[in-house]
Amino acid sequence: LGPAHSVIQAARRVCREARVLHWPLAFPQVFEKGGFDVVLGNPPWEVSQLSEEEFFASRAPEISKLAGARRKTAIRALQEEQPHLWRTFVEEKFRFESSNSSFRANQRFALTAFGKLNTYALFAESAYRMIAPGGRAGIVVPTGIATDDSTKAFFGEVIEKRRLVSLYDFENRERLFPAVDSRMKFCLLTLGRAEAAEFAFFATQVEQLRQGPERCFRLSAEDFRLINPNTRTCPVFRSRFGAELTRKIYRNVPVLIDETKPPEEGNPWGLSFSQGLFNMTSASHLFLEEPAPGALPLYEAKMIHQFDHRWATYEPAAGGRGVPSARDVTDAEKVDPRFAVRPRYWVPAEEVRTKLRAAGWTRKWLMGWRDITNATNERTVIAAVVPAFAVGDKFLLMYSCHASPRLLACLLADQNSLVHDFIARQKVGGTSLKYFTKKQITNLPPDRYTVFDLSFIVPRVLELTYTAEDLRPWAQDLGYPGDPFRWDRDRRAVLRAELDAYYAFLYGLTRDELRYILNPADVMGPDHPSETFRVLKNNEQRAFG
C-alpha cells in the first residue's frame, strides 16, 4: 500500500485521540461524551420529495414526458389501467411523506425541517448539534445552506450565536466534483466558535483561498443584521471591497421591506405581492390555445425585460400543429406602436378581473419582476410594467396600497438601475428572485424623492415604457395624454445611462464607486477577483461600441 497505507494509519490515530464522528454512529452516544471534537462529512444532497418525472422515466416514459395537469391526469388513470404501477407509486410517495413528517417532528431538525426538505440541510444541523463546546465541524454542502429561505432559521442561529468559523463558496465550473452539474454552487462550511466568520465566494479552485484579503474577508453578526435584517441569510460577495461598498449602500438606503419594524415604518411603499395571477400548472384548465372573444393574453415572465413589455412573442407552429415557439421581438416590430406580443395562451377576461378584485387592484396596468434569474446574467433584476392582462406565476407582481403612479415609476426605475442590480447580485445564490430576497434589496423609500427627482426620473421612465398603445392607461396615470414614444434603441441607451447615473447619486456613491460597480478591474486592476456586469459590458460594447 505504500504511502497511502501510512495516511490511513495516521487517520486512525487522529480518530482515536480526538472524538471524530462517523455518520452512522448512534446519535445518543454524542451526549454521553458531551459532543465530538471533530465532525467531518460530505453528506448527500438529495431533495426529500418524490419526483414524478424521475419515478416514471423508466417505468412509464410516456407519463414522464407529460407536463403539469396532463401528467396528473395520466397518473390518476393508472388506478384502473395499471393498478400494480399505481400501488408502487402510492407506496413510494407515502415513504417520502412519512419520512418528511418524521423529520419535521424531530427536535434534532428544528432549524432545517422547513419547506422542501433536503438531506444536506438535515445533516448540517446534525453536525451543528453534535460538536462539543470547543469542537469543530467541517462539511461540504450546497451554498444554499447560507442563502436559501428554507435554511434561514439554521443559518441565522449559527450567525447570532457566533458559531460560524468560515464559509468558502465554490462554483463547480472546473469540475471539482465531476459527476455534479458545472453550475452547482457548494461550500466548505466550518462550524465552531468564532467572533467573526471568514468568507470567500465564487472560487473554482482551492488554491484561490490563498489569494489574500481581497478574496477572503470577514463578516460579523452585525453585518448580517444590516444587510439581511429579515432572514439573516448570507449575502454573496466576490471581494472585500464589494462587501465594504455594500455595507455603505445599506447604511445609506434601507431595504424594500424590513419585517423587524412596524409595517408603517418597515414597508413605506405599502407593498403586497402575488405570484402572478395564474399558476401555470394548477390553472392550466383555464388556458385557451387560440384567441377568443372575451379572452385576454397570458403574459409569461420570459416575455418581458427591463422597461420593455414586448421583449418576446410566440410564433404559432408551422401548419397550426405542434407547440408554439418563443422568439425575441425585433426592433422593427417594436417601432410599430400597434404591435402587441402574441402569448402562448389566453384566459377568459372575467377570470382575470376576479383575480385583480381579490388583490384590490383597480389600475389598468401591472408592475412586477421575473422570478427566474441568475447573478451572472446580463441583468439580475428584470422589472417591467405590463397591461392588466393574465400573468403567469413566474412573473411576480407588486401592488402598492397608497403610492402614486409617479412614485411607482421611480420604484420601477430604482429596480432596473445598475446600483440596485449590484446589490441584488449579492443576494441571489441560485436561479430565483423570490419575495424574501426582493424585500431585502435596497430601495429608496418614497419620502426620499424630491420634486426635482420626480421631474428627472418620471419622464425618462415614461418614454422607456410607453412604446405601445396597450400601455396608454399607464401613460395617462403618469399624467401624459399623448401617443406612444417611438422605439429608438440608441436613445433608450442614453435614457437608461442617465437613470443609472442619477440613482448612483441618490444612493450616495462616489464616481469611483460607480466605476467599480460597472467594472471592478477598471478601478482595482486586472488581477482583482471580482466581476459585476461582464455579460452586460460585452453586449453593450458589441451593440454600441
PDB file of all heavy atoms in Angstrom, residues 59-74:
ATOM      1  N   ARG A  59     -40.300   3.555 -15.750  1.00  0.00           N
ATOM      2  CA  ARG A  59     -41.472   2.683 -15.597  1.00  0.00           C
ATOM      3  C   ARG A  59     -42.560   2.979 -16.630  1.00  0.00           C
ATOM      4  O   ARG A  59     -43.241   2.050 -17.094  1.00  0.00           O
ATOM      5  CB  ARG A  59     -42.053   2.848 -14.188  1.00  0.00           C
ATOM      6  CG  ARG A  59     -41.112   2.441 -13.061  1.00  0.00           C
ATOM      7  CD  ARG A  59     -41.714   2.787 -11.711  1.00  0.00           C
ATOM      8  NE  ARG A  59     -40.933   2.325 -10.568  1.00  0.00           N
ATOM      9  CZ  ARG A  59     -39.983   3.031  -9.982  1.00  0.00           C
ATOM     10  NH1 ARG A  59     -39.691   4.253 -10.430  1.00  0.00           N
ATOM     11  NH2 ARG A  59     -39.315   2.538  -8.959  1.00  0.00           N
ATOM     12  N   ALA A  60     -42.746   4.255 -16.955  1.00  0.00           N
ATOM     13  CA  ALA A  60     -43.763   4.658 -17.934  1.00  0.00           C
ATOM     14  C   ALA A  60     -43.312   5.965 -18.573  1.00  0.00           C
ATOM     15  O   ALA A  60     -43.791   7.041 -18.217  1.00  0.00           O
ATOM     16  CB  ALA A  60     -45.129   4.813 -17.267  1.00  0.00           C
ATOM     17  N   PRO A  61     -42.358   5.917 -19.492  1.00  0.00           N
ATOM     18  CA  PRO A  61     -41.777   7.138 -20.077  1.00  0.00           C
ATOM     19  C   PRO A  61     -42.819   8.067 -20.685  1.00  0.00           C
ATOM     20  O   PRO A  61     -42.637   9.284 -20.681  1.00  0.00           O
ATOM     21  CB  PRO A  61     -40.816   6.594 -21.140  1.00  0.00           C
ATOM     22  CG  PRO A  61     -40.510   5.198 -20.708  1.00  0.00           C
ATOM     23  CD  PRO A  61     -41.730   4.693 -20.029  1.00  0.00           C
ATOM     24  N   GLU A  62     -43.906   7.491 -21.194  1.00  0.00           N
ATOM     25  CA  GLU A  62     -44.932   8.344 -21.815  1.00  0.00           C
ATOM     26  C   GLU A  62     -45.582   9.269 -20.798  1.00  0.00           C
ATOM     27  O   GLU A  62     -45.995  10.392 -21.118  1.00  0.00           O
ATOM     28  CB  GLU A  62     -45.999   7.480 -22.502  1.00  0.00           C
ATOM     29  CG  GLU A  62     -46.874   6.635 -21.578  1.00  0.00           C
ATOM     30  CD  GLU A  62     -46.216   5.343 -21.086  1.00  0.00           C
ATOM     31  OE1 GLU A  62     -45.031   5.130 -21.415  1.00  0.00           O
ATOM     32  OE2 GLU A  62     -46.888   4.564 -20.390  1.00  0.00           O
ATOM     33  N   ILE A  63     -45.657   8.845 -19.524  1.00  0.00           N
ATOM     34  CA  ILE A  63     -46.189   9.703 -18.462  1.00  0.00           C
ATOM     35  C   ILE A  63     -45.138  10.719 -18.035  1.00  0.00           C
ATOM     36  O   ILE A  63     -45.441  11.894 -17.802  1.00  0.00           O
ATOM     37  CB  ILE A  63     -46.638   8.859 -17.257  1.00  0.00           C
ATOM     38  CG1 ILE A  63     -47.827   7.981 -17.655  1.00  0.00           C
ATOM     39  CG2 ILE A  63     -47.005   9.750 -16.065  1.00  0.00           C
ATOM     40  CD1 ILE A  63     -48.323   7.076 -16.547  1.00  0.00           C
ATOM     41  N   SER A  64     -43.898  10.286 -17.948  1.00  0.00           N
ATOM     42  CA  SER A  64     -42.818  11.184 -17.522  1.00  0.00           C
ATOM     43  C   SER A  64     -42.690  12.388 -18.446  1.00  0.00           C
ATOM     44  O   SER A  64     -42.346  13.492 -18.008  1.00  0.00           O
ATOM     45  CB  SER A  64     -41.497  10.418 -17.482  1.00  0.00           C
ATOM     46  OG  SER A  64     -40.439  11.239 -17.093  1.00  0.00           O
ATOM     47  N   LYS A  65     -42.998  12.216 -19.719  1.00  0.00           N
ATOM     48  CA  LYS A  65     -42.827  13.290 -20.702  1.00  0.00           C
ATOM     49  C   LYS A  65     -43.970  14.310 -20.665  1.00  0.00           C
ATOM     50  O   LYS A  65     -43.846  15.383 -21.247  1.00  0.00           O
ATOM     51  CB  LYS A  65     -42.705  12.692 -22.100  1.00  0.00           C
ATOM     52  CG  LYS A  65     -41.432  11.873 -22.293  1.00  0.00           C
ATOM     53  CD  LYS A  65     -41.406  11.201 -23.653  1.00  0.00           C
ATOM     54  CE  LYS A  65     -40.164  10.326 -23.806  1.00  0.00           C
ATOM     55  NZ  LYS A  65     -40.158   9.593 -25.095  1.00  0.00           N
ATOM     56  N   LEU A  66     -45.073  13.957 -20.009  1.00  0.00           N
ATOM     57  CA  LEU A  66     -46.206  14.890 -19.942  1.00  0.00           C
ATOM     58  C   LEU A  66     -45.899  16.004 -18.947  1.00  0.00           C
ATOM     59  O   LEU A  66     -45.084  15.855 -18.045  1.00  0.00           O
ATOM     60  CB  LEU A  66     -47.471  14.146 -19.516  1.00  0.00           C
ATOM     61  CG  LEU A  66     -47.993  13.077 -20.477  1.00  0.00           C
ATOM     62  CD1 LEU A  66     -49.174  12.347 -19.865  1.00  0.00           C
ATOM     63  CD2 LEU A  66     -48.382  13.697 -21.820  1.00  0.00           C
ATOM     64  N   ALA A  67     -46.588  17.131 -19.109  1.00  0.00           N
ATOM     65  CA  ALA A  67     -46.353  18.290 -18.240  1.00  0.00           C
ATOM     66  C   ALA A  67     -47.607  18.633 -17.451  1.00  0.00           C
ATOM     67  O   ALA A  67     -48.727  18.458 -17.928  1.00  0.00           O
ATOM     68  CB  ALA A  67     -45.927  19.504 -19.069  1.00  0.00           C
ATOM     69  N   GLY A  68     -47.390  19.113 -16.215  1.00  0.00           N
ATOM     70  CA  GLY A  68     -48.449  19.717 -15.416  1.00  0.00           C
ATOM     71  C   GLY A  68     -49.666  18.844 -15.207  1.00  0.00           C
ATOM     72  O   GLY A  68     -49.590  17.664 -14.819  1.00  0.00           O
ATOM     73  N   ALA A  69     -50.839  19.431 -15.505  1.00  0.00           N
ATOM     74  CA  ALA A  69     -52.124  18.778 -15.240  1.00  0.00           C
ATOM     75  C   ALA A  69     -52.288  17.496 -16.054  1.00  0.00           C
ATOM     76  O   ALA A  69     -52.933  16.544 -15.604  1.00  0.00           O
ATOM     77  CB  ALA A  69     -53.262  19.750 -15.528  1.00  0.00           C
ATOM     78  N   ARG A  70     -51.695  17.461 -17.251  1.00  0.00           N
ATOM     79  CA  ARG A  70     -51.830  16.254 -18.085  1.00  0.00           C
ATOM     80  C   ARG A  70     -51.138  15.063 -17.430  1.00  0.00           C
ATOM     81  O   ARG A  70     -51.632  13.942 -17.504  1.00  0.00           O
ATOM     82  CB  ARG A  70     -51.243  16.528 -19.471  1.00  0.00           C
ATOM     83  CG  ARG A  70     -52.045  17.568 -20.262  1.00  0.00           C
ATOM     84  CD  ARG A  70     -51.392  17.866 -21.593  1.00  0.00           C
ATOM     85  NE  ARG A  70     -52.143  18.857 -22.345  1.00  0.00           N
ATOM     86  CZ  ARG A  70     -51.732  19.380 -23.497  1.00  0.00           C
ATOM     87  NH1 ARG A  70     -50.578  18.996 -24.012  1.00  0.00           N
ATOM     88  NH2 ARG A  70     -52.484  20.285 -24.115  1.00  0.00           N
ATOM     89  N   ARG A  71     -49.999  15.307 -16.814  1.00  0.00           N
ATOM     90  CA  ARG A  71     -49.310  14.215 -16.127  1.00  0.00           C
ATOM     91  C   ARG A  71     -50.121  13.747 -14.926  1.00  0.00           C
ATOM     92  O   ARG A  71     -50.235  12.540 -14.668  1.00  0.00           O
ATOM     93  CB  ARG A  71     -47.919  14.648 -15.700  1.00  0.00           C
ATOM     94  CG  ARG A  71     -47.096  13.513 -15.137  1.00  0.00           C
ATOM     95  CD  ARG A  71     -45.638  13.883 -14.884  1.00  0.00           C
ATOM     96  NE  ARG A  71     -45.512  14.883 -13.839  1.00  0.00           N
ATOM     97  CZ  ARG A  71     -45.010  16.095 -14.038  1.00  0.00           C
ATOM     98  NH1 ARG A  71     -44.595  16.458 -15.238  1.00  0.00           N
ATOM     99  NH2 ARG A  71     -44.906  16.953 -13.046  1.00  0.00           N
ATOM    100  N   LYS A  72     -50.699  14.696 -14.174  1.00  0.00           N
ATOM    101  CA  LYS A  72     -51.524  14.332 -13.020  1.00  0.00           C
ATOM    102  C   LYS A  72     -52.704  13.450 -13.451  1.00  0.00           C
ATOM    103  O   LYS A  72     -53.046  12.463 -12.786  1.00  0.00           O
ATOM    104  CB  LYS A  72     -52.059  15.582 -12.331  1.00  0.00           C
ATOM    105  CG  LYS A  72     -50.994  16.558 -11.832  1.00  0.00           C
ATOM    106  CD  LYS A  72     -50.253  16.027 -10.637  1.00  0.00           C
ATOM    107  CE  LYS A  72     -49.300  17.087 -10.074  1.00  0.00           C
ATOM    108  NZ  LYS A  72     -48.432  16.548  -9.012  1.00  0.00           N
ATOM    109  N   THR A  73     -53.342  13.808 -14.559  1.00  0.00           N
ATOM    110  CA  THR A  73     -54.490  13.034 -15.060  1.00  0.00           C
ATOM    111  C   THR A  73     -54.058  11.624 -15.449  1.00  0.00           C
ATOM    112  O   THR A  73     -54.741  10.636 -15.142  1.00  0.00           O
ATOM    113  CB  THR A  73     -55.113  13.757 -16.268  1.00  0.00           C
ATOM    114  OG1 THR A  73     -55.546  15.055 -15.868  1.00  0.00           O
ATOM    115  CG2 THR A  73     -56.308  12.979 -16.810  1.00  0.00           C
ATOM    116  N   ALA A  74     -52.916  11.523 -16.133  1.00  0.00           N
ATOM    117  CA  ALA A  74     -52.423  10.207 -16.551  1.00  0.00           C
ATOM    118  C   ALA A  74     -52.073   9.332 -15.350  1.00  0.00           C
ATOM    119  O   ALA A  74     -52.303   8.114 -15.364  1.00  0.00           O
ATOM    120  CB  ALA A  74     -51.208  10.373 -17.461  1.00  0.00           C
TER     121      ALA A  74
END
